[in-house]
Amino acid sequence: MAKNLLIVESPAKATTINKYLGPDFEVLASYGHVRDLIPKGGAVDPDNNFEMHYRIIDRNKKHVDKIVSSAKKADAVYLATDLDREGEAISWHIAEILKERGINEKKPIKRVVFSEITKSAIDQAMAHPRDLVEPLVDAQQARRALDYLVGFNLSPLLWKKVSRGLSAGRVQSPALRMIVEREEEIEKFKPQEYWTIGATLGEQDNPFNANLVKVAGKKLAQFDLVSEADAQAVVDRIETNADTSNGAKTLPLSRIKKSQRRRRPQPPFITSTLQQEAARRLRFTTQRTMRLAQQLYEGVDLGGGENQGLITYMRTDSVALSADALAEIRQVVQSDYGAHLIPEKPNFYQSKSKNAQEAHESIRPTSAKLTPIKVKSHLSDEQYKLYQLIWNRAVASQMIPAVYDTVTAEFDVGDETFRANGSILIEPGFLAVYQDAQAETDNRLPPLEEGDRVVLQEITPEQHFTEPPPRYSEASLVKALEEYGIGRPSTYASIIQTLKDREYVELENRRFTPTSTGRVVSKFLSTHFDRYVDYEFTARLEDALDAVSRGENEWRPLLKEFWTPFIERVHEKEESVSRKEAQLARELGTDPKTGKPVIVRVGRYGPFAQIGQAEDEEKPAFAGLRPGQKMDAITLEEALELFKLPRDLGQTPEGEPIQANVGRFGPYVRYGQRNFVSLKEIDPLDVTHEQAMVLIAEHKQMLKDRVIKSFPEHGIEILKGRYGPFITDGNVNAKVPKDVEPDSLDLETCQKLIAEAPPKGSRGKFGRKKAGKKKVAKKKATKKKATKKKTAKKKKAAKKKAAKKTQSASSTD
């Protein structure tokens, strides 16, 4: 029986490490976080010194039970979760659970950390165990508490003032503001005309290009030439002043400067630069990059049945390389590329982050000798591309600079000056391994000496217009967040994913565009909670959390300083801001048929138009905006068109009614009561019965093809699904057990599996929702509505009494 227990976060890591430690160790996985704040109000109690109430995450209960059981039998427990503050917090939670479950206090519970999963790194870590670092734990608790306090108070306010289902987050909201403000910049942008003038110089068989850099003896600024007439006047002067004594027009070479320019290699990757480069070069999303990096870190089977970690820990702000890594990289450069490419001393880089010591090294290969080509056959295509990127960058960082010979030649003609620039790469240096975004192609100039006269072949004036700033891509958003100091590298991927999941942004051509919902939420927060979406305030708060992790600040006073003015602002806005103001509702005009106002506003599923008011006797008519339509731009005529939907298109041969409409996910055709078919590119206002029938026939065939087995008299089917075969009765879906052939199931087994399955949508982080909850809520809502007038005064008094309580809604970074 194993004497010691070592706990890591993931089963893949556990498998790799288990082979290194031998029979004296049992290695178990926590499967990520083991505890989280209780999923209701009061999880963080500001009135009780910000006491935090945790609960074991339901899906991890069995893993926690196994850890506790093994810990009771072990002589010592080693906590080997990730080396950052989040990993430190997970280790702390595990230690707390072990104490609560009665583990002997005298039993050693030690912390071990490593930045790579190799035998030498594991052995080194096990030889130097330590205690938990309380400041790292405190920093993570403070971060979680802040996220909770913001989310559980701002989100309900958004529900009340804008629409249910919305959320706000301490870091997600400033990130959304960036995207919205960039879109507003683009919309307000007015292009400005300007002109440049180029020239083709030299002999016919060896021409080169030059650009006008001085006009009337002064440096040419961007808007000095703003019309074709301006440019032509300069061209006319140049042609007049050009020397024609030898028949052809020539310009004198007035000045020439020759020099060398060196470009140093970039440092090895940190989390943010890896995300940016992988997005730019490989077109990977931040989430995909981090998922693949996790796989490379946790270990890959390189043959012989043993996994080996290929890269160091991928959540880091540090650009440092260990002495062993430096030595090995220099050896590889010498053997594979030549000793002349090794600098006399190693290249050292300075980390930008004050907190970079939190993670010990940059992202690098665990062994530079494991070249990409050696491991390619053991990796997926995506894993290989990312590993090659990481290996190339790390190796290149320890090579000599690239060296260019540069030439700058200037040609004066009257009071105007042309300049030609040439450069030749004479020593590739690190570019032999890593071609970065700044790598240049050779631009050779012919042999030139001061006083030479060169032929002026052609003068080319060119019209330009200024362009708006580009929308953010994932790479440029990560860069902007990093520059502002908002969030931390480990959170960038989740911030971006949250914005997409909440449907606050859309990706068009790999660029972020805010949705109408995103605009309304951002405007509400920027107007009423400006301090809390302010870039500098958010960055200062991140710095304060970093100071906590370094042991320089206490975390509870930090929370108190944030909480008091924040909750006062929440309560003030709850009373002072109207729903209409928060929703940015626009009245477009009057419906000519009913005489009622036509309004656009945002709801739970996005922007929509309505005819009439909620107070009217007759219920208002609603219609969702079409893809591409915006609340702040839609006209009355366009809005009225929306109310022509749904359109009746007749019936199917079976007598099923057909309608065309627009829904949350775009235009569709519905046939029968519950069958929906996407219209894709067809306009629902134009679609014909014949077109609809083609789509319906395809849909029916698809439904037929997915049926594995059917019990029509009982309304039960076994179907092919996206995640494998399942059984359904139309209300409840049940998975087909993995070891069972779907078509072998009989009716009785199907009925049993359906009876044991949870209702649709009932799975959650902490387990199933209570049955009947919606019905109870509905009854309460009806009762509340009936007694609304009676209890209005009591409700107002109760609000004041409950001012200090936190509300129940959640959000994360």
Side-chain angles (χ1 to χ4, degrees):
M1 187 179 73
K3 296 178 182 177
N4 303 296
L5 173 65
L6 184 130
I7 301 161
V8 294
E9 288 179 45
S10 77
K13 197 192 297 187
T15 302
T16 304
I17 293 173
N18 198 39
K19 293 173 181 176
Y20 294 146
L21 293 178
D24 285 345
F25 279 84
E26 180 183 11
V27 184
L28 295 179
S30 70
Y31 288 78
H33 289 270
V34 292
R35 294 198 305 185
D36 200 2
L37 294 170
I38 57 174
K40 58 183 179 181
V44 179
D45 187 358
D47 295 334
N48 195 17
N49 204 20
F50 297 94
E51 185 178 341
M52 300 173 74
H53 303 285
Y54 293 102
R55 172 180 165 182
I56 292 173
I57 296 169
D58 188 70
R59 65 173 180 268
N60 279 347
K61 277 182 181 176
K62 61 181 179 182
H63 306 305
V64 170
D65 290 343
K66 190 172 182 181
I67 287 169
V68 171
S69 175
S70 294
K72 286 178 178 177
K73 301 170 193 170
D75 293 340
V77 178
Y78 294 88
L79 304 170
T81 51
D82 292 341
L83 72 163
D84 56 12
R85 66 181 163 211
E86 191 171 0
E88 200 77 12
I90 293 172
S91 282
W92 176 78
H93 280 295
I94 294 170
E96 290 294 300
I97 291 168
L98 293 179
K99 289 174 189 174
E100 289 170 8
R101 298 283 186 94
I103 300 298
N104 191 333
E105 288 186 9
K106 294 181 181 179
K107 183 173 292 190
I109 299 178
K110 289 292 182 181
R111 178 83 166 104
V112 291
V113 294
F114 39 81
S115 62
E116 59 185 79
I117 302 176
T118 58
K119 191 174 189 317
S120 60
I122 302 302
D123 289 344
Q124 180 76 3
M126 296 306 296
H128 299 90
R130 61 166 172 80
D131 293 328
L132 285 162
V133 177
E134 290 296 330
L136 287 180
V137 176
D138 290 346
Q140 186 61 22
Q141 285 213 96
R143 185 179 292 276
R144 186 68 189 92
L146 283 168
D147 293 339
Y148 172 91
L149 292 170
V150 171
F152 272 65
N153 288 281
L154 271 188
S155 296
L157 189 61
L158 283 170
W159 293 11
K160 183 177 180 181
K161 300 297 182 182
V162 182
S163 178
R164 290 193 65 80
L166 302 178
S167 77
R170 183 178 58 83
V171 181
Q172 111 193 8
S173 298
L176 174 62
R177 179 189 164 195
M178 279 186 183
I179 294 169
V180 171
E181 286 184 344
R182 177 58 57 88
E183 193 67 21
E184 289 171 348
E185 277 185 76
I186 293 168
E187 290 169 351
K188 293 174 184 174
F189 181 80
K190 292 181 180 178
Q192 287 182 267
E193 182 182 3
Y194 68 99
W195 287 72
T196 58
I197 298 174
T200 304
L201 306 177
E203 303 301 323
Q204 288 286 348
D205 58 350
N206 191 19
F208 61 96
N209 295 321
N211 294 311
L212 189 70
V213 293
K214 284 185 180 179
V215 173
K218 294 180 181 179
K219 182 181 177 182
L220 177 64
Q222 184 177 14
F223 298 110
D224 282 352
L225 307 177
V226 295
S227 67
E228 186 175 7
D230 290 347
Q232 192 58 50
V234 175
V235 170
D236 292 344
R237 283 205 306 272
I238 293 168
E239 288 185 334
T240 300
N241 292 327
D243 187 355
T244 57
S245 57
N246 292 328
K249 291 177 182 176
T250 62
L251 303 181
L253 176 51
S254 308
R255 289 165 298 281
I256 188 165
K257 181 181 177 183
K258 297 179 181 180
S259 61
Q260 280 195 344
R261 183 166 50 82
R262 294 171 176 266
R263 279 198 51 234
R264 287 192 73 202
Q266 293 173 293
F269 284 126
I270 59 175
T271 307
S272 58
T273 53
L274 176 62
Q275 290 172 344
Q276 291 166 47
E277 280 295 276
R280 190 179 65 81
R281 289 170 177 254
L282 308 177
R283 302 175 78 86
F284 287 175
T285 63
T286 50
Q287 277 217 322
R288 188 192 297 182
T289 297
M290 296 309 288
R291 184 176 66 249
L292 292 167
Q294 183 88 30
Q295 293 164 6
L296 295 173
Y297 167 68
E298 290 181 345
V300 174
D301 187 352
L302 298 180
E306 284 199 11
N307 280 19
Q308 176 165 340
L310 291 183
I311 65 168
T312 51
Y313 190 55
M314 61 282 156
R315 293 184 182 91
T316 175
D317 307 59
S318 172
V319 292
L321 291 168
S322 68
D324 290 343
L326 280 170
E328 189 177 55
I329 288 172
R330 287 169 70 87
Q331 288 174 11
V332 168
V333 172
Q334 180 171 347
S335 61
D336 290 10
Y337 299 96
H340 69 288
L341 293 180
I342 306 172
E344 187 178 335
K345 295 179 181 178
N347 295 328
F348 294 100
Y349 301 90
Q350 187 67 42
S351 293
K352 293 180 182 177
S353 170
K354 288 184 287 185
N355 227 40
Q357 68 269 24
E358 183 181 327
H360 305 297
E361 277 198 80
S362 58
I363 304 170
R364 60 165 176 84
T366 55
S367 171
K369 292 176 181 177
L370 289 173
T371 60
I373 200 66
K374 283 182 182 177
V375 299
K376 185 175 183 179
S377 61
H378 304 287
L379 304 178
S380 69
D381 184 52
E382 288 188 339
Q383 286 174 335
Y384 170 72
K385 286 177 180 177
L386 191 65
Y387 181 71
Q388 184 182 44
L389 189 66
I390 292 167
W391 190 94
N392 288 354
R393 176 85 164 225
V395 170
S397 75
Q398 294 306 313
M399 295 173 74
I400 64 171
V403 181
Y404 294 85
D405 269 348
T406 64
V407 179
T408 301
E410 291 189 342
F411 306 86
D412 292 341
V413 50
D415 290 332
E416 278 70 47
T417 301
F418 282 100
R419 180 183 294 156
N421 294 308
S423 65
I424 303 168
L425 181 65
I426 60 169
E427 171 53 73
F430 75 92
L431 294 176
V433 175
Y434 189 82
Q435 291 278 341
D436 63 13
Q438 296 173 319
E440 303 165 20
T441 56
D442 281 356
N443 177 30
R444 292 175 180 266
L445 296 182
L448 294 169
E449 296 295 336
E450 199 167 307
D452 287 351
R453 303 198 73 84
V454 298
V455 175
L456 173 61
Q457 292 186 25
E458 185 181 14
I459 303 175
T460 312
E462 189 173 351
Q463 183 186 38
H464 306 273
F465 290 92
T466 54
E467 294 184 354
R471 292 185 174 99
Y472 285 111
S473 64
E474 288 208 8
S476 60
L477 182 60
V478 165
K479 187 176 182 181
L481 289 169
E482 185 181 31
E483 287 173 350
Y484 276 108
I486 295 173
R488 286 296 174 258
S490 59
T491 64
Y492 294 151
S494 62
I495 291 167
I496 290 169
Q497 192 59 42
T498 299
L499 293 177
K500 291 193 278 190
D501 290 345
R502 298 291 184 193
E503 296 183 6
Y504 289 166
V505 299
E506 293 172 340
L507 270 176
E508 294 178 10
N509 299 320
R510 302 178 67 240
R511 298 276 173 174
F512 287 112
T513 304
T515 61
S516 293
T517 303
R519 284 173 179 262
V520 169
V521 169
S522 183
K523 183 70 173 176
F524 175 79
L525 295 174
S526 296
T527 303
H528 303 291
F529 292 89
D530 50 325
R531 182 186 184 196
Y532 302 99
V533 291
D534 178 74
Y535 304 140
E536 288 187 12
F537 174 82
T538 308
R540 285 197 303 273
L541 193 55
E542 290 289 352
D543 288 341
L545 289 166
D546 285 346
V548 171
S549 74
R550 296 191 297 270
E552 296 167 10
N553 288 342
E554 293 292 323
W555 67 287
R556 294 180 196 273
L558 172 65
L559 291 181
K560 186 175 181 181
E561 184 182 348
F562 174 89
W563 170 251
T564 304
F566 172 73
I567 197 61
E568 286 175 0
R569 179 80 65 96
V570 170
H571 292 317
E572 188 264 313
K573 295 299 177 182
E574 192 171 12
E575 297 296 329
S576 64
V577 180
S578 70
R579 187 173 173 85
K580 184 177 180 180
E581 179 189 353
Q583 288 181 335
L584 301 181
R586 281 180 67 219
E587 188 168 321
L588 304 180
T590 304
D591 174 31
K593 291 182 181 177
T594 63
K596 293 180 179 180
V598 180
I599 302 163
V600 286
R601 61 188 182 91
V602 73
R604 185 172 186 179
Y605 300 116
F608 64 91
Q610 72 178 55
I611 297 175
Q613 301 278 17
E615 311 85 62
D616 296 347
E617 279 188 35
E618 191 178 346
K619 186 180 176 183
F622 301 101
L625 266 59
R626 306 276 298 279
Q629 289 182 326
K630 295 178 180 178
M631 283 176 54
D632 56 351
I634 191 170
T635 64
L636 175 64
E637 291 71 25
E638 289 168 338
L640 291 173
E641 283 290 307
L642 299 172
F643 291 94
K644 293 180 180 178
L645 298 172
R647 279 180 64 221
D648 290 324
L649 298 177
Q651 295 183 334
T652 65
E654 295 79 15
E656 300 160 304
I658 307 172
Q659 278 190 338
N661 205 348
V662 174
R664 186 183 178 192
F665 303 108
Y668 66 87
V669 161
R670 184 176 77 176
Y671 66 97
Q673 294 302 311
R674 300 176 59 178
N675 298 302
F676 298 86
V677 188
S678 171
L679 276 174
K680 298 175 183 174
E681 302 302 320
I682 306 174
D683 192 315
L685 291 169
D686 300 330
V687 65
T688 64
H689 179 269
E690 291 72 22
Q691 288 174 314
M693 283 305 303
V694 170
L695 295 170
I696 290 168
E698 291 172 356
H699 189 253
K700 285 187 173 182
Q701 186 60 46
M702 181 274 291
L703 294 177
K704 186 178 177 182
D705 291 343
R706 72 193 290 241
V707 177
I708 299 171
K709 195 171 184 178
S710 178
F711 303 96
E713 65 278 13
H714 297 278
I716 292 174
E717 291 181 313
I718 306 173
L719 304 175
K720 297 174 187 174
R722 186 178 177 186
Y723 303 108
F726 66 96
I727 307 156
T728 184
D729 63 357
N731 296 312
V732 176
N733 295 342
K735 287 183 179 178
V736 173
K738 288 182 180 179
D739 54 349
V740 174
E741 287 296 326
D743 55 3
S744 69
L745 292 169
D746 57 21
L747 174 62
E748 187 180 349
T749 306
C750 289
Q751 288 174 327
K752 183 183 176 187
L753 288 169
I754 286 173
E756 293 171 350
K760 285 183 182 177
S762 65
R763 299 180 189 275
K765 188 175 186 180
F766 292 98
R768 300 180 186 180
K769 294 178 183 175
K770 291 179 182 177
K773 191 173 180 181
K774 283 188 178 178
K775 286 184 180 178
V776 173
K778 195 171 182 180
K779 285 179 183 176
K780 283 183 179 178
T782 306
K783 190 177 178 182
K784 187 177 178 182
K785 192 174 180 181
T787 59
K788 191 176 179 183
K789 289 183 181 178
K790 251 185 206 181
T791 59
K793 290 181 182 178
K794 289 181 182 179
K795 190 177 178 184
K796 194 171 182 180
K799 264 187 189 176
K800 289 181 181 177
K801 191 177 179 181
K804 293 182 181 177
K805 301 276 186 181
T806 54
Q807 304 301 313
S808 179
S810 99
S811 173
T812 61
D813 275 4

